[in-house]
Amino acid sequence: MREVAILGVGLNKKWGELWRMSGRDIFVEAALNAMDDANVDHIDSMYVGCMTSGLLIGQEHIGCLMADYLGSGPIPATRVESACASGGAAFRQGFIEVASGLNDFVLVGGIEKMTDTNDDEAIDALYAAEDVLYEAYQGVTLAGLYALMARVHMQKFGTTSLQMAHVAAKNHKHGAMNPVAMYPFVITAEDVLKSMLVADPLHMLDCAAATDGAAAVLLCPLETARKISKKPIVKVLGSGQGSSAIALHARKDMAVLDSVVKAAEAAYKMAGKTPEDIHLAEVHDSFTIAEIMALESLGLVEPGKGGPASESGMTALGGKIPVNTSGGLKSKGHPLGATGVAQVVEVALQLRGAAGARQVKNARVGLTQNLGGTGGSCVVHIFEAV
Amino acid sequence: MREVAILGVGLNKKWGELWRMSGRDIFVEAALNAMDDANVDHIDSMYVGCMTSGLLIGQEHIGCLMADYLGSGPIPATRVESACASGGAAFRQGFIEVASGLNDFVLVGGIEKMTDTNDDEAIDALYAAEDVLYEAYQGVTLAGLYALMARVHMQKFGTTSLQMAHVAAKNHKHGAMNPVAMYPFVITAEDVLKSMLVADPLHMLDCAAATDGAAAVLLCPLETARKISKKPIVKVLGSGQGSSAIALHARKDMAVLDSVVKAAEAAYKMAGKTPEDIHLAEVHDSFTIAEIMALESLGLVEPGKGGPASESGMTALGGKIPVNTSGGLKSKGHPLGATGVAQVVEVALQLRGAAGARQVKNARVGLTQNLGGTGGSCVVHIFEAV
């Protein structure tokens, strides 16, 4: 397999309720930003990560649609869907394609247009990430399922609502420094605990918001990047993907994310790294408990120590291992398909030393973890500044 | 890139209105048949081609869902969507993954569950393959768009309704020999012309039927296949994918499928073959005019000669280049995501000499062509018995 590098990264200007832009407008903005950043005007192939375009805007077949609107037809353009992990899964396909030698300049984009609808339709669309026959038909929402996982985690490890609240407060503190973020303001752990209960024990401020947004990354062979890039080079060191029982009731242990364990194992192995080598991580905080469980399943902390680590500041900027310096899904917003790609954008900026006020000092190795649904699928990537 | 071979192929027993089976049941049946055929009990990774699971059964995230129900978790499992070309696009991802060296045993499945709904919902779902903002919102169905393409083709080349009808009659003649086919009976060209007009000039019997079905193919490195397979070995010789303007109005020439031209060019180049080398082909006959245009855009006949070729018997079993020996989408049925994978199944059986009554004599090189929507995306593969 060829070595692969990140040549360019881009987001659309601002995530949020973008009622004046269509999904294709938002995607093209992010993709052009990534091509500008890479200083190339041509791509060989494209992947688009997206979950809900069919259910929320009635549009499937968005691989070729986005290539068309980007002006990049007639290139191969493929849409990848893995619920909330669609962006990470699309990134992995781009990585595999460049690694295979088939094509050199491969653009991976993620897009979700979620606000041109009403709450009922949005909830219906999110149900589709669950096991529809055995979970959604019983009426349990994603927040409900995460609440169940949180309860198990609390019972097993003594995790507290305050610890979860600290995850949200920390991510908002980071996100307040990110101009793209949908909610770029500071909140306290107390604010989280005082906010409305959505699904006990999860409060409204424990939950990330569905929104509109896009992200894009341009990949190429490492050798090519060394020749043409004028920016610090970020290598894709490892790629791992895993799955697990999609329904909660079919899992051995609801307090462990099997798909994360499997994806991380594969990514660490390919990268030749261990959790101790990771300087910063972007993890999937769709709910605060998800970040806590991710820290544990990735091996960044011991099982059961995700809560205390979050409360202690270990995962904040300036801590031992800063997590979600971008603001995470919580503060930045969670346009599903864009999320996994935007995680890569943040880590690439950090490893280039170009993250501005959010910069992690001496960051050389970073990790991204993108989760689908309640963990039926997971994609993990590891990157290094080379 | 490593050389890649087909180790096993499988379909579910019968395509049609499978009201007693869920999508996951149908998928697992086909996948197990492919694993049985390959004589392996383990896979490393999986791709699932599917378009409408969100819109028609409310279920996205079906990569991990299918891996889960197949009992193959926690492997990487990714859903690929490219409208009616979802199966072909998934197959290409499987090919790239094995070629890259990342994994050895990669299962590619295609599934669509389309009959657990009503006509309105099914039509809405198919709209999603078009450019929704500029085509579907005007109320023009896929049949309507293909009717426009047919009119242009008739005007430009003198193609007739009778020539189109011969495509359907030929494919039903083939399909009558295929036990999996949804409509395994013979029809005449006259029957087609006498059937109800759906969108002038297309009659009901010019159109393939949306249905339930699944297909699966197990890929591995050619070297591995040589070691462990007791069946004739089929090598994936070339893979090509192309896109074009998704909306008809944005194309230079509505009588040419640009995405097919691009995909075929890439596949022939990788395979080191020309159209003259192809012994049989499975092409995308969602409408009879689509097969005629595919023959031309693939270079199997001169531009404008697709109609006469179909009428002359050149593309029938026993003709110069048999096309759609499986019965095609017309007779076999068109479960969107399954279609592109089932095309590979048919060509593999033919190249193994295992196609029974439908066998093409001395078939050594075969081609598959899978189209998305009205041609926004296309995937072409070329195979050889080695």
Side-chain angles (χ1 to χ4, degrees), chain B residues 92-128:
Chain B
R92 180 172 158 94
Q93 296 311 125
F95 165 74
I96 295 173
E97 181 163 329
V98 176
S100 78
L102 184 64
N103 277 306
D104 284 348
F105 294 95
V106 177
L107 184 86
V108 180
I111 168 71
E112 213 78 36
K113 187 78 181 84
M114 308 183 75
T115 70
D116 297 356
T117 186
N118 57 47
D119 288 352
D120 283 352
E121 283 183 359
I123 288 172
D124 275 358
L126 292 172
Y127 272 136

Side-chain angles (χ1 to χ4, degrees), chain A residues 1 22 24 47 51 54-55 57-62 64-65 67-69 72-83 89 92-93 96-97 99-103 125 127-134 137 241-247 258 262 270 372-374 376-377, chain B residues 1 22 24 47 51 54-55 57-62 64-65 67-69 72-83 89 92-93 96-97 99-103 125 127-134 137 241-247 258 262 270 372-374 376-377:
Chain A
M1 290 173 67
S22 66
R24 51 193 90 178
Y47 290 92
M51 176 185 171
L55 287 164
I57 55 172
Q59 180 74 66
E60 310 284 7
H61 207 192
I62 63 168
C64 68
L65 176 82
D68 182 10
Y69 276 82
S72 292
I75 60 167
T78 301
R79 182 258 190 111
V80 170
E81 186 271 324
S82 195
R92 180 172 158 94
Q93 295 311 124
I96 295 173
E97 181 163 328
S100 78
L102 184 64
N103 278 307
Y127 272 136
E130 305 178 6
D131 185 326
V132 169
L133 296 186
Y134 295 103
Y137 283 0
Q241 185 174 346
S243 59
S244 89
I246 184 169
D258 287 337
K262 175 74 200 293
M270 187 188 291
T374 57
S377 64
Chain B
M1 290 172 67
S22 66
R24 50 193 90 179
Y47 291 91
M51 175 186 171
L55 287 164
I57 56 173
Q59 178 75 66
E60 309 284 6
H61 208 192
I62 63 169
C64 69
L65 176 82
D68 183 9
Y69 276 81
S72 292
I75 60 167
T78 302
R79 182 257 191 113
V80 171
E81 187 271 324
S82 194
R92 180 172 158 94
Q93 296 311 125
I96 295 173
E97 181 163 329
S100 78
L102 184 64
N103 277 306
Y127 272 136
E130 305 176 8
D131 185 325
V132 168
L133 296 186
Y134 294 103
Y137 282 0
Q241 186 175 345
S243 59
S244 89
I246 185 170
D258 287 336
K262 175 72 200 295
M270 188 189 290
T374 58
S377 64

Side-chain angles (χ1 to χ4, degrees), chain A residues 5 8 43 46 53 101 107 123 195 221 223 259 261 280 292 341 358:
Chain A
I43 56 175
M46 197 167 102
S53 66
L107 184 87
I123 289 171
S195 66
E223 207 178 325
S259 62
V261 172
L280 82 154
I292 288 172
V341 182
R358 311 190 302 278

Side-chain angles (χ1 to χ4, degrees), chain A residues 143-163:
Chain A
L145 291 170
Y146 272 98
L148 287 169
M149 294 159 85
R151 278 281 169 225
V152 170
H153 206 272
M154 291 166 97
Q155 190 166 25
K156 187 169 176 185
F157 297 117
T159 303
T160 66
S161 288
L162 180 64
Q163 289 168 347

Side-chain angles (χ1 to χ4, degrees), chain A residues 229-244:
Chain A
S229 182
K230 296 200 171 86
K231 294 185 173 154
I233 290 170
V234 175
K235 181 182 164 184
V236 186
L237 218 55
S239 174
Q241 185 174 346
S243 59
S244 89

